[in-house]
Amino acid sequence: MKKTIAFLMGLTVVAAAFTGCGGSKSSSESKESATSATEATTAADTTAEATTAAETTTEAAEEEDEENYDTGDASLDNPRNQDDIGESELLVLSFGTSFNDSRRLTIGAIEEALEKAFPDYSVRRGFTANIIIDHVKSRDGEIIDDVKEALDRAVKNGVKTLVVQPTHLMNGLEYNDVVDEIADYSDAFDKVVIGKPLLASDDDFKRVENAIVDWTKEYDDGKTAICFMGHGTDADSNSVYAKMQELLTADGHTNYFVGTVEASPSVEDVLAKVKEGGYEKVVLEPLMVVAGDHANNDMAGDDEDSWKSVFEAEGYEVKCLLRGLGENEEIRKLYVEHAQAAVDSIK
């Protein structure tokens, strides 16, 4: 069988090597040094153990304080890490979230849509964020594969055709990392292809625009500013937020605004535009696949720097919609179409 490998990005391998050097001493000096070193090491080990124990206790207490809310029942979520899956796999790669309900209603819903659309493929899950994987395992006992584990599982199961569909919003750093990691496994399968992220073409932008406008039309009363909060990145791909804003404005949705948590436009930029429009109320919603930590805390949290608090401090009546894009049927359809294009490319 002729091997088919399709990647959307170039591959880069970076290697680094480090060397160390030391000196020498006389025999007597070495013995004295060894004795002193042993005593010092024993004392240091004792101190380190005490410090580690204290740090662990502090971290556990801080984690308990930080997550004093219910994220939902993890047992309702399907981690999709089963074996014995046949020769064709559709691996759905997401950043992930530790919010159980949101994970099931967004990432889980996308996976289910793909499973219905591609009955000849076994749909499996992988997360790129190991910190989320570890947290969910520690807290809920749910085991979710990271990218390497998911790929190793596919190899072990004898998968020959691997279709990878990322749920990433854009073709940015995270997406490129996925492409690079999969490239390391290119010889392990007969056919490998990677689908495009959500916003990959002008048509994608238009369809996402229509989806989010239709999703929020009940709040579009002329007095309300509807603000979407994206994640943001230092990479060039951050331009997707400005592009979505330009599209919304050009199509007459002048009360729709797009900002980010960690880049530009910032919440201050969005606030300035809302003030210019003379709006009375504000609706906040994440422009993210999941409604996880950023949505619940950076957007809808009670800290003074959350988006909700920033707008309330300016006298606005604020409503927060805690739902990720993965809950939107039109968004899920777009992911299915991107996966279909990937499947079609290897037929």
Coordinates of all heavy atoms in Angstrom, one line a residue, residues 106-169:
T106 N -19.1 20.6 25.1 CA -18.4 21.2 24.0 C -17.5 20.2 23.3 O -17.8 19.8 22.2 CB -17.5 22.4 24.5 OG1 -16.6 21.9 25.6 CG2 -18.4 23.5 25.1
I107 N -16.4 19.9 23.9 CA -15.5 18.9 23.2 C -16.2 17.6 23.0 O -16.1 17.0 21.9 CB -14.2 18.7 24.1 CG1 -13.4 20.0 24.1 CG2 -13.4 17.6 23.6 CD1 -12.3 20.0 25.1
G108 N -16.9 17.1 24.0 CA -17.7 15.9 23.9 C -18.7 15.9 22.8 O -18.9 15.0 22.1
A109 N -19.4 17.1 22.7 CA -20.4 17.2 21.7 C -19.8 17.3 20.3 O -20.4 16.7 19.3 CB -21.2 18.5 21.9
I110 N -18.6 17.9 20.1 CA -17.9 17.9 18.8 C -17.5 16.4 18.5 O -17.7 16.0 17.3 CB -16.7 18.8 18.9 CG1 -17.1 20.2 19.0 CG2 -15.8 18.6 17.6 CD1 -15.9 21.2 19.3
E111 N -17.0 15.7 19.4 CA -16.6 14.3 19.2 C -17.8 13.5 18.8 O -17.7 12.6 17.9 CB -16.0 13.7 20.5 CG -14.6 14.4 20.8 CD -14.2 14.1 22.2 OE1 -15.0 13.6 23.0 OE2 -13.0 14.4 22.5
E112 N -18.9 13.7 19.4 CA -20.1 12.9 19.1 C -20.6 13.2 17.7 O -21.0 12.4 16.9 CB -21.3 13.2 20.1 CG -21.0 12.6 21.5 CD -22.1 13.0 22.4 OE1 -23.1 13.6 22.0 OE2 -22.0 12.6 23.6
A113 N -20.5 14.5 17.3 CA -20.9 14.9 15.9 C -20.0 14.3 14.9 O -20.5 13.8 13.9 CB -20.9 16.4 15.8
L114 N -18.7 14.2 15.2 CA -17.8 13.5 14.3 C -18.0 12.0 14.2 O -17.9 11.4 13.2 CB -16.4 13.8 14.7 CG -15.9 15.3 14.5 CD1 -14.6 15.6 15.3 CD2 -15.7 15.6 13.0
E115 N -18.4 11.5 15.4 CA -18.7 10.0 15.4 C -19.9 9.7 14.5 O -19.9 8.7 13.8 CB -18.9 9.6 16.8 CG -19.0 8.1 17.1 CD -18.9 7.7 18.5 OE1 -19.8 8.2 19.3 OE2 -18.0 7.0 18.9
K116 N -20.9 10.5 14.6 CA -22.1 10.3 13.8 C -21.8 10.5 12.3 O -22.3 9.8 11.4 CB -23.2 11.2 14.2 CG -23.8 10.9 15.6 CD -24.9 11.9 15.9 CE -25.5 11.6 17.3 NZ -26.5 12.6 17.7
A117 N -20.9 11.4 12.0 CA -20.6 11.7 10.6 C -19.7 10.7 9.9 O -19.7 10.6 8.7 CB -20.0 13.1 10.5
F118 N -18.9 10.1 10.8 CA -17.9 9.1 10.2 C -18.0 7.8 10.9 O -17.1 7.4 11.8 CB -16.5 9.7 10.4 CG -16.3 11.1 9.7 CD1 -16.4 12.2 10.5 CD2 -16.1 11.2 8.4 CE1 -16.3 13.5 9.9 CE2 -15.9 12.4 7.8 CZ -16.0 13.6 8.5
P119 N -19.0 7.0 10.6 CA -19.2 5.7 11.3 C -18.1 4.7 11.0 O -18.0 3.7 11.8 CB -20.6 5.3 10.8 CG -20.7 6.0 9.4 CD -20.1 7.3 9.6
D120 N -17.4 4.9 10.0 CA -16.3 4.0 9.6 C -15.0 4.2 10.4 O -14.0 3.5 10.3 CB -16.0 4.0 8.1 CG -17.2 3.5 7.3 OD1 -18.0 2.7 7.8 OD2 -17.3 3.9 6.1
Y121 N -15.0 5.3 11.2 CA -13.8 5.7 12.0 C -14.1 5.6 13.5 O -15.2 5.9 13.9 CB -13.4 7.1 11.7 CG -12.7 7.3 10.4 CD1 -13.4 7.4 9.2 CD2 -11.3 7.4 10.3 CE1 -12.8 7.5 7.9 CE2 -10.7 7.5 9.1 CZ -11.4 7.6 7.9 OH -10.8 7.8 6.7
S122 N -13.1 5.1 14.2 CA -13.2 5.1 15.7 C -12.8 6.5 16.2 O -11.6 6.9 15.9 CB -12.4 4.0 16.3 OG -12.9 2.8 16.0
V123 N -13.6 7.2 16.8 CA -13.3 8.6 17.3 C -12.6 8.5 18.7 O -13.2 7.9 19.6 CB -14.5 9.5 17.4 CG1 -14.2 10.8 18.0 CG2 -15.1 9.7 16.0
R124 N -11.5 9.1 18.8 CA -10.7 9.1 20.1 C -10.3 10.5 20.4 O -10.3 11.4 19.6 CB -9.5 8.1 20.0 CG -9.9 6.7 19.9 CD -10.6 6.2 21.1 NE -11.0 4.8 21.1 CZ -12.3 4.5 20.7 NH1 -13.2 5.4 20.4 NH2 -12.6 3.2 20.7
R125 N -9.9 10.7 21.7 CA -9.7 12.0 22.2 C -8.2 12.1 22.7 O -7.6 11.2 23.2 CB -10.6 12.3 23.5 CG -10.2 13.5 24.3 CD -11.0 13.6 25.5 NE -12.4 13.9 25.3 CZ -13.3 14.0 26.2 NH1 -13.0 13.8 27.5 NH2 -14.6 14.2 25.9
G126 N -7.7 13.4 22.5 CA -6.4 13.7 23.0 C -6.4 15.2 23.4 O -7.0 16.0 22.8
F127 N -5.8 15.5 24.5 CA -5.6 16.9 25.0 C -4.2 17.3 24.9 O -3.3 16.5 25.1 CB -6.1 17.1 26.4 CG -7.6 17.1 26.7 CD1 -8.4 17.0 25.6 CD2 -8.1 17.3 27.9 CE1 -9.8 17.0 25.8 CE2 -9.5 17.4 28.1 CZ -10.3 17.2 27.1
T128 N -4.0 18.6 24.5 CA -2.6 19.1 24.5 C -2.1 19.7 25.8 O -0.9 19.9 26.0 CB -2.5 20.2 23.4 OG1 -3.4 21.3 23.7 CG2 -2.9 19.7 22.0
A129 N -3.0 20.0 26.7 CA -2.6 20.6 28.0 C -2.5 19.5 29.1 O -3.4 19.1 29.7 CB -3.7 21.6 28.4
N130 N -1.2 19.2 29.4 CA -1.0 18.1 30.4 C -1.4 18.6 31.8 O -1.7 17.7 32.6 CB 0.5 17.7 30.4 CG 0.8 16.8 29.2 OD1 1.2 17.3 28.1 ND2 0.7 15.5 29.4
I131 N -1.3 19.9 32.0 CA -1.7 20.4 33.4 C -3.2 20.1 33.6 O -3.6 19.8 34.7 CB -1.4 21.9 33.5 CG1 -1.6 22.3 35.0 CG2 -2.2 22.7 32.6 CD1 -1.1 23.7 35.2
I132 N -4.0 20.2 32.6 CA -5.4 19.9 32.7 C -5.6 18.4 32.8 O -6.4 17.9 33.7 CB -6.2 20.4 31.5 CG1 -6.2 21.9 31.5 CG2 -7.6 19.8 31.4 CD1 -6.8 22.6 30.3
I133 N -4.9 17.6 32.0 CA -5.0 16.1 32.1 C -4.7 15.7 33.6 O -5.4 14.8 34.1 CB -4.0 15.5 31.1 CG1 -4.5 15.7 29.7 CG2 -3.9 14.0 31.4 CD1 -3.5 15.3 28.6
D134 N -3.6 16.2 34.1 CA -3.1 15.8 35.5 C -4.2 16.2 36.5 O -4.4 15.5 37.5 CB -1.8 16.4 35.8 CG -0.7 15.8 34.9 OD1 -0.9 14.8 34.3 OD2 0.4 16.5 34.8
H135 N -4.7 17.4 36.4 CA -5.7 17.9 37.3 C -7.0 17.1 37.3 O -7.5 16.7 38.4 CB -6.0 19.4 37.0 CG -6.9 20.0 38.0 ND1 -6.7 20.0 39.4 CD2 -8.2 20.6 37.9 CE1 -7.7 20.6 40.0 NE2 -8.6 21.0 39.1
V136 N -7.5 16.7 36.2 CA -8.7 15.9 36.0 C -8.5 14.5 36.6 O -9.3 14.0 37.3 CB -9.2 15.9 34.6 CG1 -10.3 14.9 34.4 CG2 -9.6 17.3 34.1
K137 N -7.3 14.0 36.3 CA -7.0 12.6 36.8 C -6.9 12.6 38.4 O -7.4 11.8 39.0 CB -5.6 12.2 36.2 CG -5.2 10.8 36.7 CD -3.9 10.3 36.1 CE -3.5 8.9 36.6 NZ -2.2 8.5 36.0
S138 N -6.2 13.7 38.9 CA -6.0 13.7 40.4 C -7.4 14.0 41.1 O -7.7 13.4 42.1 CB -5.0 14.9 40.7 OG -5.0 15.1 42.1
R139 N -8.2 14.9 40.5 CA -9.4 15.3 41.2 C -10.6 14.3 41.0 O -11.3 14.0 41.9 CB -9.8 16.7 40.7 CG -11.1 17.2 41.3 CD -11.6 18.4 40.6 NE -12.0 18.1 39.2 CZ -12.2 19.0 38.2 NH1 -12.0 20.3 38.5 NH2 -12.6 18.6 37.1
D140 N -10.7 13.8 39.7 CA -11.9 13.0 39.3 C -11.5 11.5 39.0 O -12.5 10.7 38.8 CB -12.6 13.6 38.1 CG -13.0 15.1 38.4 OD1 -13.6 15.3 39.5 OD2 -12.7 15.9 37.6
G141 N -10.3 11.2 38.8 CA -9.9 9.9 38.4 C -10.2 9.6 37.0 O -10.1 8.4 36.6
E142 N -10.4 10.6 36.2 CA -10.7 10.4 34.8 C -9.3 10.5 34.0 O -8.6 11.4 34.2 CB -11.6 11.4 34.2 CG -11.9 11.3 32.7 CD -13.0 12.2 32.2 OE1 -13.8 12.7 33.0 OE2 -13.0 12.4 31.0
I143 N -9.1 9.5 33.2 CA -7.8 9.4 32.4 C -8.0 9.9 31.0 O -8.8 9.3 30.2 CB -7.2 8.0 32.4 CG1 -6.9 7.6 33.9 CG2 -6.0 7.9 31.6 CD1 -6.5 6.2 34.0
I144 N -7.4 11.0 30.6 CA -7.5 11.5 29.3 C -6.0 11.5 28.7 O -5.1 11.9 29.3 CB -8.0 13.0 29.3 CG1 -9.4 13.0 29.8 CG2 -8.0 13.6 27.9 CD1 -10.0 14.4 30.1
D145 N -5.9 11.0 27.5 CA -4.6 10.9 26.8 C -4.1 12.3 26.4 O -4.9 13.1 26.0 CB -4.7 10.1 25.5 CG -4.9 8.6 25.8 OD1 -4.6 8.1 26.9 OD2 -5.3 7.8 24.9
D146 N -2.8 12.5 26.5 CA -2.2 13.6 25.9 C -1.9 13.2 24.4 O -2.2 12.1 24.0 CB -0.9 14.1 26.6 CG 0.2 13.1 26.7 OD1 0.2 12.1 25.9 OD2 1.1 13.3 27.5
V147 N -1.3 14.1 23.7 CA -1.1 13.8 22.3 C -0.2 12.5 22.0 O -0.6 11.7 21.2 CB -0.5 15.0 21.5 CG1 -0.3 14.7 20.0 CG2 -1.4 16.2 21.7
K148 N 0.9 12.5 22.8 CA 1.8 11.3 22.6 C 1.1 10.0 23.0 O 1.2 9.0 22.3 CB 3.1 11.5 23.5 CG 4.1 10.4 23.3 CD 5.3 10.6 24.1 CE 6.4 9.6 23.8 NZ 5.9 8.2 24.0
E149 N 0.4 10.0 24.1 CA -0.3 8.8 24.6 C -1.4 8.4 23.6 O -1.6 7.2 23.3 CB -1.0 9.1 25.9 CG 0.1 9.2 27.1 CD -0.5 9.8 28.3 OE1 -1.6 10.4 28.3 OE2 0.1 9.6 29.4
A150 N -2.1 9.4 23.0 CA -3.1 9.1 22.0 C -2.5 8.5 20.8 O -3.1 7.5 20.2 CB -3.9 10.4 21.6
L151 N -1.4 9.0 20.3 CA -0.7 8.5 19.1 C -0.1 7.1 19.4 O -0.2 6.2 18.6 CB 0.4 9.4 18.7 CG -0.1 10.8 18.1 CD1 1.0 11.7 17.9 CD2 -0.9 10.5 16.8
D152 N 0.5 6.9 20.6 CA 1.0 5.6 21.0 C -0.2 4.6 21.0 O 0.0 3.4 20.7 CB 1.7 5.7 22.3 CG 3.0 6.3 22.3 OD1 3.6 6.4 21.1 OD2 3.5 6.8 23.3
R153 N -1.3 5.0 21.5 CA -2.5 4.1 21.6 C -2.9 3.7 20.2 O -3.2 2.5 20.0 CB -3.6 4.8 22.3 CG -4.8 3.8 22.6 CD -5.9 4.6 23.3 NE -5.6 5.2 24.6 CZ -5.6 4.5 25.7 NH1 -6.0 3.2 25.7 NH2 -5.2 5.1 26.9
A154 N -2.9 4.6 19.3 CA -3.2 4.3 17.9 C -2.3 3.3 17.3 O -2.7 2.4 16.6 CB -3.3 5.6 17.1
V155 N -1.0 3.5 17.6 CA 0.0 2.5 17.0 C -0.2 1.2 17.6 O -0.2 0.1 16.9 CB 1.4 3.0 17.4 CG1 2.5 2.0 17.0 CG2 1.7 4.3 16.6
K156 N -0.4 1.1 18.9 CA -0.6 -0.2 19.6 C -1.9 -0.9 19.1 O -1.9 -2.1 19.0 CB -0.8 0.1 21.1 CG -0.9 -1.2 22.0 CD -1.1 -0.9 23.4 CE -2.5 -0.3 23.7 NZ -2.8 -0.1 25.1
N157 N -2.9 -0.1 18.7 CA -4.1 -0.7 18.2 C -4.1 -1.1 16.7 O -5.1 -1.5 16.2 CB -5.3 0.3 18.5 CG -5.8 0.2 19.9 OD1 -6.6 -0.7 20.2 ND2 -5.5 1.1 20.7
G158 N -2.9 -0.8 16.1 CA -2.8 -1.2 14.7 C -3.5 -0.4 13.7 O -3.9 -0.8 12.7
V159 N -3.7 0.9 14.1 CA -4.4 1.8 13.2 C -3.5 2.1 12.0 O -2.3 2.3 12.1 CB -4.6 3.2 13.9 CG1 -5.1 4.3 12.9 CG2 -5.6 3.0 15.0
K160 N -4.1 2.0 10.8 CA -3.4 2.2 9.5 C -3.8 3.6 8.9 O -2.9 4.2 8.3 CB -3.8 1.1 8.5 CG -3.3 -0.3 9.0 CD -3.6 -1.3 7.9 CE -3.2 -2.7 8.3 NZ -1.8 -2.8 8.7
T161 N -5.0 4.0 9.1 CA -5.4 5.3 8.6 C -5.8 6.2 9.8 O -6.7 5.9 10.5 CB -6.6 5.2 7.6 OG1 -6.3 4.4 6.5 CG2 -7.1 6.6 7.1
L162 N -5.0 7.3 9.9 CA -5.3 8.2 11.0 C -5.7 9.6 10.5 O -4.9 10.2 9.8 CB -4.0 8.3 11.9 CG -4.1 9.3 13.1 CD1 -5.1 8.8 14.1 CD2 -2.7 9.5 13.7
V163 N -6.9 10.0 10.9 CA -7.3 11.4 10.6 C -7.3 12.2 11.9 O -7.9 11.7 12.9 CB -8.7 11.4 10.0 CG1 -9.2 12.8 9.8 CG2 -8.7 10.6 8.7
V164 N -6.7 13.3 11.9 CA -6.6 14.1 13.1 C -7.4 15.4 12.9 O -7.1 16.1 11.9 CB -5.1 14.5 13.5 CG1 -5.1 15.3 14.7 CG2 -4.3 13.2 13.6
Q165 N -8.3 15.7 13.8 CA -9.1 16.9 13.7 C -8.9 17.7 15.0 O -9.5 17.4 16.0 CB -10.6 16.6 13.4 CG -11.4 17.9 13.3 CD -10.9 18.8 12.3 OE1 -10.8 18.5 11.1 NE2 -10.6 20.1 12.6
P166 N -8.1 18.8 14.9 CA -8.0 19.7 16.1 C -9.2 20.5 16.2 O -9.9 20.8 15.3 CB -6.8 20.5 15.7 CG -6.1 19.8 14.6 CD -7.2 19.1 13.8
T167 N -9.5 20.9 17.5 CA -10.7 21.8 17.8 C -10.1 23.2 18.0 O -10.9 24.0 18.6 CB -11.5 21.3 19.0 OG1 -10.7 21.4 20.2 CG2 -12.0 19.9 18.8
H168 N -8.9 23.4 17.7 CA -8.3 24.8 17.9 C -9.1 25.8 17.1 O -9.6 25.5 16.0 CB -6.9 24.8 17.6 CG -6.0 23.9 18.5 ND1 -6.0 22.5 18.3 CD2 -5.2 24.2 19.5 CE1 -5.2 22.0 19.2 NE2 -4.8 23.0 20.0
L169 N -9.1 27.0 17.6 CA -9.8 28.1 17.0 C -9.1 28.6 15.7 O -9.7 29.0 14.7 CB -9.9 29.3 17.9 CG -10.9 30.4 17.6 CD1 -12.3 30.0 17.7 CD2 -10.7 31.7 18.4

